[in-house]
Amino acid sequence: MLNRRHFLLLGGFSLGACAARPLAQAVPTGSPPLETVVGPDTSIAEGNNPGLAPQSIRHPNFGKAIGPEELFAPKRGDVRAVVISDMNSRYGAVDYRQEVMKGVSILPQWEPDIVLCVGDMVAGQSLSLNTAEVEAMWAGFDNLILSPIREANIPFALTIGNHDASSLQDKGSYVYPIDREVTSRYWQAHQNDLDLQYIDTGDFPYYYSFKQNDIFYLVWDASSANVPANQLAWAEQQLSSAAAQGAKFRIAIGHLPLYAISQGRDRDGELLNHSNQLQALLERHHVHTYMSGHHHAYYPGHAGNLQLLHTGALGSGPRTWLNRTDAAMQTMTVLDFFFDTADTVYTTYNMNTMELVDTQTLPRQIIGPTGRVLRNDIALADLTPAEQSQTYVRSDN
């Protein structure tokens, strides 16, 4: 098992023509790369660099290796988030897999400033579940997941997943109305308990914005394949606001991704419709990263000028990547933001083995029905001619 003696040396930074390039990584011979470094916020690269975070507000443990004793501890940035997603188990379950419970139990030891939950907290989206059963699932989540995190005084932000309260409609009505009603009631009761600095509560918990530790977060309802037009107009207004544009980073969060990355999820309904327009909206306002779940596979990538964090599943049903045969794994990510260099660093753990995920073992690129995603340390120019000519092949499962 890796321990604190493993280390990482970060090299120089450069901005590529088509996408931000990460910092070069150097590790001891025979050891995997330990952290994934993602490129800068475009607005900062264009000359709006806010400079070094003032010492008076910089975290006292900045630059220190912080983490659970038995695991590799990443160096802390100005702001640290722990990112979790897709925690649910079988339909109607009121409990969670051991990987989820282990992750929640050690989560405070990374000393995060916030937990970002990218959806699918419970296992709804079944017409066989009644109101009492859906309420029981949220009671289980409250007792086993949210309460321990809040008792540790860690702010908690979320986006709604398809198994929480799908926005899928048929003839103007929600297909899963019980999920939608119970989920709305549960989260509205907790809206003021999450220690978030709201900018606009929108239609919480489905879409809202907040600014935490000088990072602006936009959450939209990507619990089905369509983000409604009224939300896109709202997102334009939020992202162009002084609060958003004055932040060190802008982050957007939604459950369904813009690109397909995993087997069996490269289908209509499993990723966002009109993804090109959605990405253009985010890029227009210099959003640094779009975080998504749903595909149950960890993949740190980029497309155009947008960084893409595809979070893996912490709960049941992990998947492997398109055109790969690797064993699937449950994952959990520690995300550090560095203000002076405008970098984000991912440290991701295989929760089955508690070892680090080696970024170099992930696909160099993934091509799905909506286009190409490059691994975040790869530029288009780095691809071989064969890789550049690769086309999408639909997965079998």
Side-chain angles (χ1 to χ4, degrees), residues 45-110:
E46 290 175 350
N48 296 323
N49 193 328
L52 193 66
Q55 274 316 113
S56 60
I57 64 170
R58 170 159 277 177
H59 195 280
N61 286 332
F62 175 85
K64 295 181 180 178
I66 303 292
E69 285 296 328
E70 70 273 20
L71 302 180
F72 169 79
K75 292 181 179 179
R76 200 188 197 286
D78 292 281
V79 176
R80 170 169 288 182
V82 169
V83 186
I84 56 178
S85 186
D86 297 275
M87 295 176 287
N88 52 11
S89 296
R90 64 197 181 281
Y91 286 114
V94 298
D95 55 5
Y96 293 86
R97 288 179 58 101
Q98 61 90 15
E99 291 90 352
V100 178
M101 300 310 300
K102 174 68 172 179
V104 171
S105 71
I106 63 177
L107 191 154
Q109 297 179 51
W110 281 292

Side-chain angles (χ1 to χ4, degrees), residues 79-386:
V79 176
R80 170 169 288 182
V82 169
V83 186
I84 56 178
S85 186
D86 297 275
M87 295 176 287
N88 52 11
S89 296
R90 64 197 181 281
Y91 286 114
V94 298
D95 55 5
Y96 293 86
R97 288 179 58 101
Q98 61 90 15
E99 291 90 352
V100 178
M101 300 310 300
K102 174 68 172 179
V104 171
S105 71
I106 63 177
L107 191 154
Q109 297 179 51
W110 281 292
E111 299 183 10
D113 298 293
I114 192 169
V115 170
L116 303 175
C117 181
V118 194
D120 278 2
M121 295 160 275
V122 299
Q125 203 178 19
S126 171
L127 294 175
S128 67
L129 297 171
N130 61 35
T131 298
E133 290 169 323
V134 176
E135 289 175 339
M137 288 192 298
W138 282 112
F141 171 84
D142 192 87
N143 179 52
L144 298 174
I145 308 297
L146 184 61
S147 290
I149 291 172
R150 293 303 296 124
E151 287 168 4
N153 295 315
I154 305 170
F156 186 93
L158 68 138
T159 192
I160 295 297
N162 58 295
H163 286 289
D164 302 320
S166 173
S167 60
L168 184 66
Q169 297 191 30
D170 181 36
K171 298 178 182 177
S173 298
Y174 290 115
V175 175
Y176 303 97
I178 293 175
D179 289 359
R180 202 76 177 182
E181 187 275 325
V182 174
T183 297
S184 298
R185 180 157 34 88
Y186 173 80
W187 283 111
Q188 286 166 9
H190 285 284
Q191 179 175 331
N192 296 323
D193 301 339
L194 303 180
D195 199 18
L196 299 179
Q197 305 300 308
Y198 297 105
I199 298 295
D200 189 319
T201 53
D203 185 18
F204 182 90
Y206 302 104
Y207 65 93
Y208 62 100
S209 65
F210 63 100
K211 190 173 184 178
Q212 207 88 358
N213 306 112
D214 215 5
I215 299 171
F216 183 90
Y217 297 88
L218 180 129
V219 178
W220 62 27
D221 188 357
S223 59
S224 71
N226 288 309
V227 179
N230 67 310
Q231 282 190 45
L232 298 183
W234 172 84
E236 288 271 11
Q237 183 272 324
Q238 289 295 301
L239 291 171
S240 62
S241 68
Q245 291 301 308
K248 299 291 196 297
F249 287 88
R250 283 164 296 286
I251 305 295
I253 307 175
H255 187 60
L256 266 64
L258 300 171
Y259 295 84
I261 63 155
S262 68
Q263 295 185 22
R265 290 289 161 93
D266 54 335
R267 309 285 192 268
D268 288 345
E270 304 289 359
L271 59 160
L272 290 174
N273 295 332
H274 310 296
S275 58
N276 288 342
Q277 294 93 315
L278 298 178
Q279 180 167 341
L281 184 158
L282 299 178
E283 289 180 330
R284 185 161 60 248
H285 297 291
H286 307 300
V287 170
H288 184 279
T289 302
Y290 178 61
M291 299 183 185
S292 62
H294 190 60
H295 282 213
H296 292 205
Y298 168 67
Y299 192 69
H302 68 92
N305 292 318
L306 184 66
Q307 298 292 331
L308 300 164
L309 173 57
H310 300 88
T311 61
L314 185 55
S316 295
R319 294 171 180 264
T320 195
W321 307 277
L322 290 171
N323 298 312
R324 290 281 289 260
T325 59
D326 309 65
M329 57 184 168
Q330 274 86 4
T331 59
M332 186 170 177
T333 295
V334 176
L335 165 58
D336 283 289
F337 295 88
F338 291 86
F339 288 169
D340 54 344
T341 56
D343 298 320
T344 53
V345 179
Y346 304 141
T347 307
T348 295
Y349 301 83
N350 180 333
M351 296 302 290
N352 310 115
T353 64
M354 303 310 294
E355 297 177 346
L356 289 172
V357 176
D358 179 1
T359 303
Q360 301 301 306
T361 66
L362 306 181
R364 285 163 54 85
Q365 65 173 346
I366 298 177
I367 299 177
T370 58
R372 182 195 314 263
V373 180
L374 297 170
R375 200 175 67 201
N376 69 321
D377 62 331
I378 300 293
L380 188 62
D382 297 327
L383 299 180
T384 66

